[in-house]
């Protein structure tokens, strides 16, 4: 799939104010500072589509983008550490999880994991929650350019092994880099396959 157009649509925290359900939708989420905004910009070939920052927790709203006039890309607030109050973090988590449960045209959630790290409890617990709630998800391991491919592969294998404590099989995984575009075409191809089977 080639991304020919990427247009910002809206930002909000109310699920009843989201765009219509007529197009397939794919959301991206991950622990704060996982490189989510940079990857979204790499996938869409737009340097400033999603706002990047050195400060974790920059994304605080549900951000919708229209891609190729054909599907929605959704940038969700990261979970975990963020420079904000505990009450704000609680509210984020509440509306994010409500969105994931009720959004009928959400085809898949891409969960972003830092490939440089061994399995983190917060990531594993979030994946467990997705499984318990029947929310389909795929795993994107980010920042592949920051270390050797062997080290990334080892960390991915450890994460898969940890997930098998809760899941009978592990969701499809992608190793990516926003700097070198490694894996971006694979992620877009996966979206394209799902789009071809979408019925509004």
């Amino acid at each position: 799939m080639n991304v020919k157009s990427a247009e910002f649509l809206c930002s909000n925290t109310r699920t009843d104010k989201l765009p219509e359900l007529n197009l397939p939708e794919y959301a991206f989420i991950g622990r704060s500072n996982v490189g989510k905004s940079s990857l979204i910009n790499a996938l869409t070939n737009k340097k400033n589509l999603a706002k990047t920052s050195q400060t974790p927790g920059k994304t605080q709203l549900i951000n919708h983008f229209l891609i190729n006039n054909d599907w929605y890309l959704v940038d969700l607030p990261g979970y975990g550490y963020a420079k904000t109050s505990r009450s704000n973090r609680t509210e984020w988590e509440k509306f994010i999880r409500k969105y994931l449960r009720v959004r009928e045209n959400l085809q898949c959630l891409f969960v972003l994991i830092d490939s440089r790290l061994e399995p983190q409890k917060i990531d594993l617990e979030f994946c467990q929650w997705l499984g318990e709630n029947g929310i389909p998800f795929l795993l994107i391991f980010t920042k592949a350019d920051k270390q050797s491919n062997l080290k990334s592969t080892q960390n991915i294998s450890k994460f898969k092994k940890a997930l098998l404590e809760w899941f009978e099989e592990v969701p499809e995984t992608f190793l990516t880099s926003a700097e070198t575009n490694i894996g971006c075409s694979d992620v877009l191809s996966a979206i394209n396959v799902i789009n071809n089977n979408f019925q509004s």
Side-chain angles (χ1 to χ4, degrees):
M1 176 198 299
N2 292 321
V3 174
K4 299 177 181 178
S5 64
E7 173 189 356
F8 170 76
L9 290 182
C10 61
S11 295
N12 61 68
T13 60
R14 292 184 53 178
T15 55
D16 60 334
K17 296 294 185 181
L18 299 179
E20 294 183 14
L21 301 168
N22 59 326
L23 295 177
E25 188 159 300
Y26 304 86
F28 289 71
I29 195 171
R31 190 167 46 83
S32 296
N33 210 29
V34 74
K36 174 170 54 69
S37 296
S38 295
L39 182 64
I40 288 174
N41 291 339
L43 289 170
T44 58
N45 296 313
K46 298 278 189 180
K47 288 186 177 180
N48 299 308
L49 188 70
K51 295 180 180 178
T52 59
S53 172
Q54 296 301 313
T55 303
K58 187 69 173 178
T59 304
Q60 300 182 15
L61 300 167
I62 300 175
N63 299 302
H64 268 77
F65 302 92
L66 178 62
I67 310 299
N68 290 346
N69 294 311
D70 192 41
W71 54 279
Y72 297 126
L73 185 156
V74 182
D75 183 7
L76 294 174
Y79 51 81
Y81 169 82
K83 276 193 173 182
T84 186
S85 68
R86 181 183 297 272
S87 61
N88 274 349
R89 288 199 299 272
T90 300
E91 285 303 309
W92 292 357
E93 181 168 318
K94 187 182 299 182
F95 79 72
I96 292 168
R97 297 196 182 215
K98 180 180 179 182
Y99 160 81
L100 294 174
R101 288 194 304 266
V102 306
R103 189 66 171 163
E104 295 178 9
N105 64 329
L106 178 64
Q107 302 300 293
C108 177
L109 176 68
F110 288 99
V111 180
L112 276 62
I113 310 293
D114 192 330
S115 68
R116 301 172 300 175
L117 305 178
E118 295 199 355
Q120 302 291 299
K121 181 180 179 181
I122 189 171
D123 293 321
L124 293 170
E125 289 180 344
F126 183 69
C127 290
Q128 181 185 12
W129 180 86
L130 293 173
E132 291 172 348
N133 286 270
I135 298 167
F137 70 97
L138 301 179
L139 297 169
I140 294 180
F141 290 85
T142 62
K143 304 186 180 184
D145 60 291
K146 304 299 183 183
Q147 64 181 359
S148 69
N149 190 62
L150 175 60
K151 184 62 177 176
S152 294
T153 301
Q154 290 174 339
N155 286 338
I156 292 172
S157 295
K158 291 177 182 178
F159 195 91
K160 288 180 176 180
K161 183 177 180 180
L163 276 186
L164 288 175
E165 294 184 17
W166 298 298
F167 295 87
E168 292 184 0
E169 59 181 335
V170 177
E172 185 176 1
T173 63
F174 304 88
L175 179 61
T176 67
S177 166
E179 296 296 325
T180 64
N181 286 339
I182 290 173
C184 289
S185 62
D186 295 330
V187 173
L188 291 173
S189 293
I191 291 174
N192 191 51
V193 169
I194 300 173
N195 281 348
N196 289 335
N197 296 315
F198 176 75
Q199 294 181 343
S200 61

